[in-house]
Every structure is written in C-alpha cells, then in structure tokens.
C-alpha cells in the first residue's frame, strides 16, 4: 500500500519530458566520509545546470541528501538527465544479470541505495528517447551498463543520414573527478558554442584532462543538438558547427 | 618491444617530414591581428595543409577574437566557416603567436583501429606537416570513443606535468581530429624537499578511519585546488607535490597531493 502511494506520488512529481534534471552525490565525497574537503560534485553539477539552462531547459534535480532513489526515479522521464555519483556494474535481480547503475546520495557515506536500468525503464515506459543523458560515474560508459537502453538510446554511434535525436555520455572503467571536471566543462562549452553533441565531445577530447584518469564514451547521433525544443539556438552570428 | 615500436614510428615520422610539402607554416600576417600587436599563424594556411582541396571550397575566415581557454590562458581564436555558417576549423594561439589548438569539426567516424605504432607515426606526420615541434620522449597512446589520442606529457625537471604537453587526436583511419598544446605556469621549487616517507605519514594522518594509502608517493606538478584556501584558478602556478594514492574502506580510490616542501594539502581527487 505504502509502495503504491509512493509510486503514485513519484509519478505525480515527475516533470514533463521537456525538462532537464541534474543530480549529484555530495555526501559520499564530503569531509565526513573522505577526510578532506571536496567541492567537486557541486562544481560538476553547477557546470551541468548552467549549461543546460543556457540551452533552454528548465533544470530541476537535487544535489546532496535530497538526491534519493525516490527523487531520481520521479524524474527519470525527463528529456535530459545528468548524474554525478558512484557507479558500477551491480547485480540486478530483475534481469538476473549485472547491469550498470549508480548510487544516490541519501546522506550516506557508504551503501547508499542504487538506481538500476530496469527501474529507469519502468519509469520511462511510453516516453520517447531522452535527448541527452550524461552519467558522470565510473563504469557507465561500458557496453555492459545498459543504462543507455533504459533511456531509449541504442549503443551505437551514428554520423550522417538518419541520426538518432539523442546522445549518451558515460565513462569506461574508473573515472576521476578532477579529469571529469575538465572534460565536462569543455563538453558543455562546446555545446554552448553551437557544436553538435558529437563535435562537443571531440572538442573535449582535446582539453587538458589526463586520459589515464578518464576514458569517455558516447552513443547516439553525432550531429544531435540537445537544445530544449522551445529554445532558440544560441546567437553564433551565423556560425555553428557539426 | 615498445622501443622498437617507437623507433619505427619515429622513422615513419621522419620519412613523412622529408616528403611533406615545403609549406610549413610560419607566423605571418593576419592584418587585423597585426594591427592589434599580435602575430598569428593565418588559419587559411593551416586549412590548406590539413583539409582536402574540395573541403577548402567556399570557406570564409571570421574576424579573430581573444578568448580564454579551458586552461585559463588568453588566446587569439580564428575560425573558418563553410556553407550555412557551419564551423569547419578552429585555431587558437597564445598571445605570443605560439599555436595552442587546431580543431577540425565533424571528422568522420571511421571503424577499424590504428596500431600503437601507426598512431604515433600518423601523429608525428601531422605535427611535421604543420611545422610544429616534435615533443621529447615517447608518447602514450589511448583510445576513447573511436578516436585515438597520442599524448606527449610535458616534464619539468624530470617530473610530469599532468595534462600539459602535446596531444594529437585521430580518427580510426588516422585522419586528424585536432591538436592541442598546453603549457601551464610552474611555481619555483621548494627551498627544501620533504621525503616520500614523510609524505606517506602526512597523508595517513589526513584520512578517515578505514581508508589506507597504497604504493609509493610520486612527484608531480599539481594544480592547487580551490577548496584549500588557495587563490586558485587554471593559471595558478602548479606546485611540486607528492601524489599519494589509496582506497576508502568501500574500495573507492583517491589521491592526495601534498606540497613537496611543506606537506600542506594542495588537492584531493577521487573516483566515483
């Protein structure tokens, strides 16, 4: 009964699909849990929020303890989603296999609840593919992750012809926050500069992040422009690039 | 084995250098830039070297502007646009004219993979064709999302400067996606160096219960991060630091950077 009420509440809270959401786990990286001050999750979330807002999206989500399994799943139908947290390939009892996923904040240093692809798929049933999904965590750029499929994005790269109108970014293996900050800043900057998602990704490969600390991966349409449908393109004085 | 590959790549690079057209770019006139006291490599010359003849048709150079790079450096930016205002090529130079970035747009995704030696040879060929300095030492080769990155990491006094150096990005067929050259300012060496064992002890004292350090500390030139009261930005000089790695009790890895002179905490990095 309680579960049904919570699910109904979650569906009621779900934003319309023209919205973007940004979630970041602050607690697991905070001084109480790591022994040192760490502002990186806030910086990563701020970069994402600022860029998505400039691309015309209404940005919601949560940074810190309010990033819970419930708040995340309630927003899983958003058109754009950014998550920064611990990620791994976890056991999914529904699919009886390991799949990608990420931990929520839930104000816990260790053992915070996990969000799995099957749960996101269930919340997104009937929704079109997401426009942009950026999972800033370890392991969710790997083929075994299955998170892209949960957002309706096939794990293939398409350039030219009939490209999917969606783009997924994740990291392969261990992803360090310092390198992620530099890579992501360049990616967002590329998008704000008028680049397509694929071109912005290429541009970000050229910035000074240390590749042994980060292995970015993408799937979707190279030429996809992840602007809000109602937004006007940024004024580039007649210039944009693909 | 690696040395053999590297020698092979160098040989191929030298052959490429000898066969490259005699059109290496030298700083020359960009009229507006010159009037602003800047001496830039004209983007049209660079385009002529790295684009196919058909790709050059109808390109228009936009007026140059001065921007701040991801690394915080002031740069002169030149852009070539094609039909419909689509950006084709971007070139950024430091204000002293040194080339910092060449980025082509929409480079084809080619399947197939380059061997390590072939990637190094291709990267050298692109550098030579553009008349750029061949960095010292052997590069590392990494793949990311169908692109190949050939990276010469800068070293200063024998210590790596992570993120600095020359990076050449290629597609699966070896075509150029871009080149970037980074050089951060460095602080003076500390008056007195601490030892690695002292760095390990200092790091251990900073960690929460259950976390542990592992391996030997390594010296790097580290950028102090803002959380530690430094007036830090991307152009803050990097400081010589002991890099200490370890793991939290859930297995999550971390890295601490401690000033090599004072052992003050300069930065923290973690892997989510």
């Amino acid at each position: 009964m309680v579960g049904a009420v919570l699910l109904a509440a979650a569906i009621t809270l779900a934003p319309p699909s023209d919205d973007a959401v940004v979630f970041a786990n602050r607690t697991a990286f905070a001084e109480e849990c790591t022994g040192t001050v760490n502002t990186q999750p806030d910086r990563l979330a701020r970069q994402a929020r600022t860029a998505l807002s400039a691309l015309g999206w209404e940005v919601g989500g949560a940074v810190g303890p309010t990033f819970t399994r419930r708040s995340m799943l309630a927003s899983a139908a958003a058109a754009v989603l950014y998550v920064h947290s611990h990620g791994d390939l976890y056991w999914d009892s529904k699919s009886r296999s390991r799949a990608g996923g990420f931990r929520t904040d839930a104000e816990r240093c260790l053992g915070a609840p996990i969000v799995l692809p099957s749960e996101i798929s269930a919340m997104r049933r009937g929704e079109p593919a997401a426009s942009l999904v950026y999972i800033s965590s370890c392991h969710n750029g790997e083929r075994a992750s299955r998170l892209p499929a949960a957002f309706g994005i096939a794990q293939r790269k398409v350039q030219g012809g009939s490209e999917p109108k969606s783009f997924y970014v994740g990291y392969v293996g261990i992803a360090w926050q310092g390198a992620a900050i530099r890579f992501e800043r360049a990616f967002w900057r590329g998008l704000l500069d008028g680049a397509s998602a694929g071109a912005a990704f290429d541009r970000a490969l050229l910035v000074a992040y240390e590749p042994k600390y980060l292995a970015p991966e993408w799937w979707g349409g190279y030429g996809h422009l992840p602007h809000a449908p109602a937004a006007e393109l940024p004024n580039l004085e007649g210039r944009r690039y693909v | 084995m690696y040395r053999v590959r590297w020698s092979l790549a160098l040989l191929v690079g030298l052959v490429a250098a000898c066969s490259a057209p005699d059109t290496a770019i030298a700083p020359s006139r960009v009229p507006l830039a010159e009037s602003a006291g800047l001496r830039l490599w004209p983007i049209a010359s660079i385009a002529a070297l790295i684009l196919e003849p058909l790709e050059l048709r109808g390109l228009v150079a936009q007026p140059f502007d001065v921007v701040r790079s991801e690394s915080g450096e002031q740069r002169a930016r030149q852009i070539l646009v094609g039909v419909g205002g689509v950006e084709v090529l971007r070139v950024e130079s430091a204000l002293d004219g040194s080339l910092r970035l060449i980025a082509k747009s929409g480079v084809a995704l080619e399947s197939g993979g380059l061997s390590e030696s072939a990637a190094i040879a291709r990267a050298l060929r692109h550098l030579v064709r553009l008349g750029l300095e061949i960095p010292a030492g052997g590069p590392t080769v990494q793949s990311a999302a169908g692109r190949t990155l050939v990276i010469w990491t800068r070293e200063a006094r024998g210590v790596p400067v992570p993120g600095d150096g020359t990076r050449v990005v290629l597609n699966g067929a070896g075509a150029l996606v871009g080149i970037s050259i980074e050089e951060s300012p460095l602080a003076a060496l500390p008056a007195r160096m601490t030892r690695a064992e002292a760095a390990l002890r200092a790091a251990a004292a900073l960690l929460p219960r259950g976390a542990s350090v592992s391996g030997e500390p390594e010296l790097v030139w580290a950028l102090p991060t803002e959380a530690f009261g430094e007036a830090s930005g991307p152009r803050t000089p990097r400081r010589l630091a002991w890099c200490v790695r370890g793991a939290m009790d859930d297995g999550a890895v971390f890295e601490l950077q401690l000033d090599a002179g004072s052992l003050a905490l300069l930065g923290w990095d973690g892997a989510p």
Side-chain angles (χ1 to χ4, degrees):
Chain A
M1 177 64 183
V2 174
V5 170
L6 287 178
L7 185 63
I11 292 167
T12 310
L13 289 170
S17 62
D18 278 0
D19 282 359
V21 285
V22 171
F23 290 97
N25 181 347
R26 181 191 288 148
T27 303
F29 306 104
E31 191 168 6
E32 304 78 65
C33 301
T34 64
T36 58
V37 176
N38 180 0
T39 59
Q40 288 166 330
D42 285 272
R43 289 170 65 188
L44 285 158
R46 196 163 53 239
Q47 287 179 181
R49 288 186 70 92
T50 305
L52 292 171
S53 180
L55 292 170
W57 299 97
E58 285 290 321
V59 187
V63 178
T66 51
F67 169 20
T68 60
R69 204 164 159 281
R70 185 181 165 208
S71 66
M72 195 278 138
L73 286 173
S75 303
V80 174
L81 186 130
Y82 173 92
V83 173
H84 177 74
S85 188
H86 284 301
D88 207 336
L89 301 177
Y90 303 103
W91 180 254
D92 181 1
S93 55
K94 279 184 193 152
S95 64
R96 292 173 174 269
S97 61
R98 285 169 79 82
F102 47 83
R103 290 195 183 273
T104 57
D105 182 294
E107 217 166 357
R108 291 168 73 169
C109 289
L110 297 172
I114 295 164
V115 176
L116 292 167
S118 55
E119 296 167 316
I120 292 170
S121 297
M123 295 306 288
R124 288 189 63 88
R125 198 157 290 142
E127 292 288 336
S131 176
L132 176 66
V133 176
Y134 202 127
I135 307 293
S136 175
S137 75
C138 298
H139 299 295
N140 278 303
E142 295 169 19
R143 284 226 165 257
S145 167
R146 285 194 262 147
L147 268 178
F151 290 97
I153 301 172
Q155 285 177 308
R156 62 198 175 104
K157 296 182 176 68
V158 187
Q159 187 183 33
S162 55
E163 295 185 4
K165 291 182 173 22
S166 49
F167 200 82
Y168 176 97
V169 186
Y171 300 128
V172 176
I174 302 290
W176 290 76
Q177 287 177 323
I181 281 182
R182 294 189 193 100
F183 182 86
E184 291 178 22
R185 189 168 56 216
F187 176 77
W188 298 124
R189 191 171 172 171
L191 290 181
L192 295 180
D193 230 2
S196 68
F201 186 98
D202 275 345
R203 181 69 51 81
L205 290 176
L206 283 161
V207 301
Y209 73 93
E210 187 62 37
K212 72 178 175 190
Y213 288 150
L214 197 74
E217 179 59 282
W218 69 269
W219 289 293
Y222 185 94
H224 177 54
L225 292 166
H227 300 107
E232 287 179 16
L233 289 173
N235 180 8
L236 300 169
E237 294 159 350
R239 165 178 58 83
R240 61 168 289 266
Y241 62 100
V242 293
Chain B
M1 182 63 182
Y2 179 76
R3 190 170 291 171
V4 172
R5 280 188 190 166
W6 166 236
S7 306
L8 185 65
L10 188 60
L11 180 67
V12 175
L14 286 172
V15 171
C18 296
S19 60
D22 186 22
T23 50
I25 305 163
S28 70
R29 292 167 61 85
V30 174
L32 278 174
E34 217 164 64
S35 65
L38 300 172
R39 199 162 162 77
L40 304 179
W41 295 16
I43 193 168
S45 311
I46 296 174
L49 288 173
I50 64 174
L51 299 177
E52 298 298 323
L54 278 176
E55 292 178 303
L56 291 168
R57 203 175 287 171
L59 297 185
V60 177
Q62 296 216 321
F64 89 99
D65 55 359
V66 176
V67 296
R68 198 167 285 281
S69 74
E70 292 301 329
S71 58
E73 186 180 38
Q74 277 216 315
R75 293 178 176 179
R77 180 176 66 180
Q78 302 175 79
I79 290 171
L80 271 185
V81 296
V83 181
V86 172
E87 181 176 318
V88 173
L89 181 66
R90 168 178 299 222
V91 173
E92 291 178 9
S93 310
L95 298 186
D96 67 0
S98 345
L99 195 67
R100 289 286 192 250
L101 176 82
I102 294 176
K104 284 172 73 178
S105 298
V107 178
L109 297 165
E110 298 280 354
S111 55
L114 289 170
S115 68
E116 196 169 285
S117 54
I120 294 170
R122 287 296 188 122
L124 285 169
R125 192 170 148 188
H126 290 303
L127 292 173
V128 167
R129 181 182 288 182
L130 288 160
L132 294 169
E133 187 181 339
I134 303 298
T140 56
V141 178
Q142 306 235 345
S143 293
R147 305 300 201 197
T148 301
L149 284 65
V150 183
I151 299 159
W152 285 265
T153 299
R154 178 186 172 205
E155 287 194 355
R157 295 176 182 264
V159 175
V161 189
D164 268 19
T166 300
R167 173 178 307 209
V168 181
V169 179
L170 308 167
N171 77 355
L176 184 69
V177 176
I179 294 174
S180 64
I181 299 166
E182 290 286 347
E183 194 171 314
S184 307
L186 304 178
L189 286 173
R192 211 169 54 186
M193 282 283 294
T194 52
R195 300 175 75 89
E197 306 83 68
L200 272 180
R201 282 195 301 276
L206 288 168
L207 299 179
R209 202 165 55 182
S212 57
V213 296
S214 59
E216 287 294 305
E218 289 173 12
L219 282 172
V220 296
W221 289 95
L223 181 69
T225 50
E226 65 184 356
F228 306 102
E230 300 280 345
S232 182
R235 298 312 282 175
T236 303
R238 287 166 177 255
R239 284 159 56 177
L240 192 63
W242 286 110
C243 176
V244 182
R245 295 188 180 87
M248 311 301 284
D249 53 4
D250 64 346
V253 288
F254 67 84
E255 188 179 282
L256 293 174
Q257 291 120 25
L258 304 170
D259 186 283
S262 65
L263 293 180
L265 184 63
L266 293 182
W268 186 95
D269 201 357

